[in-house]
Amino acid sequence: IEWITGSSAGRVSMQISTNEGTPGHDDLNFRRAVQSAVNKEEVIMGAMEGYAEPIDIDMCPNYSGHPEGYEVVPYDVEKAKEYLAASNYDGEEFEILVQSGTMYDTVAQIVQYQLMEVGINCTINAVDSATFTDLWYAGKYDAMIKNTNSSLLDADGFLNFFMATDYAPTNNNQHPRTQEIYDLGIAARKAQGEEREELYRQAVDIVTEEAYQVPLFANTNTLAFNSNLEGVEVYPLGSVYLFDISWKE
């Protein structure tokens, strides 16, 4: 038996709520403290055994329209502590919503530890899938860790969390600059080539500047196969093309 791995169409990010009553509401310094405190490499090793690729925007690197030259926030504990000291945070609970019994529950536990290390009173609300969706759609979370898969390898999926129209997942999860991000995304959907990538760069830079998300990692696909086969490849959408596979002579 042989094993091969390759890129996938799924990525995992932490969404930070700006809804009223949450620590991230109207407090950019707090959100930036969270953003700077997360060590993605540690998350990948602890939760994924190293089988993932860190990301700095909520897109997989293999997506069409993936921009270049976007803003990146490095892991920096001291900077996180500086942001926290400059924020309005006063030790209140910062709760991460996650689906229980999944690898993302483990991701949340690692992130929880990292946030506590800089002085954030972080807790986890691990719930079943139905409750997770209900709380997500209702905007009842301080932060949320979620895996997002895309049926198309395209940057358009980035807008899933920034829809300014009547869309159930975001109706109760609007940010102050959601409309601006959405407008750039819609313009990018109509553009081509470098113009499209530039519009997406502007959109993702707003998300980074405002610390609305902490992108964590892009998943990988793994495939086991008989070592006597040749032509076996891993595809991002998980498909297996049997007409490419044959027995070795």
Side-chain angles (χ1 to χ4, degrees), residues 121-164:
N121 178 21
C122 184
T123 62
I124 297 173
N125 184 19
V127 298
D128 62 82
S129 179
T131 303
F132 176 89
T133 300
D134 288 344
L135 293 173
W136 167 24
Y137 284 21
K140 301 294 185 182
Y141 61 87
D142 298 329
M144 174 181 68
I145 292 178
K146 186 180 184 303
N147 175 61
T148 305
N149 285 309
S150 178
S151 58
L152 294 174
L153 301 177
D154 196 274
D156 287 350
F158 160 79
L159 278 185
N160 287 351
F161 294 102
F162 300 100
M163 298 294 286

Side-chain angles (χ1 to χ4, degrees), residues 22-35 78-92 94 115 118-121 211:
T22 66
H25 173 68
D26 201 24
D27 196 341
L28 177 58
N29 280 318
F30 175 80
R31 299 196 304 273
R32 286 183 172 173
V34 173
Q35 188 182 47
E78 295 308 313
K79 195 68 176 178
K81 290 179 179 178
E82 289 177 16
Y83 281 132
L84 194 64
S87 75
N88 299 319
Y89 182 69
D90 193 28
E92 58 267 37
F94 181 65
L115 297 185
V118 301
I120 297 173
N121 178 21

Side-chain angles (χ1 to χ4, degrees), residues 86-108:
S87 75
N88 299 319
Y89 182 69
D90 193 28
E92 58 267 37
E93 182 179 82
F94 181 65
E95 186 179 82
I96 300 175
L97 175 65
V98 69
Q99 291 186 51
S100 61
T102 65
M103 68 180 69
Y104 314 113
D105 194 348
T106 305
V107 169

Side-chain angles (χ1 to χ4, degrees), residues 43-52:
V43 169
I44 290 169
M45 289 304 300
M48 307 299 293
E49 298 184 349
Y51 289 97

Side-chain angles (χ1 to χ4, degrees), residues 5-13 44 47-48 50-55 59-63 103-104 107 146-150 216-222 234-236:
T5 60
S7 60
S8 81
R11 75 272 184 194
V12 176
S13 293
I44 290 169
M48 307 299 293
Y51 289 97
E53 180 177 357
I55 55 174
M59 297 182 194
C60 292
N62 56 9
Y63 285 5
M103 68 180 69
Y104 314 113
V107 169
K146 186 180 184 303
N147 175 61
T148 305
N149 285 309
S150 178
L216 296 171
F217 57 83
N219 293 309
T220 58
N221 286 335
T222 303
V234 174
Y235 294 92

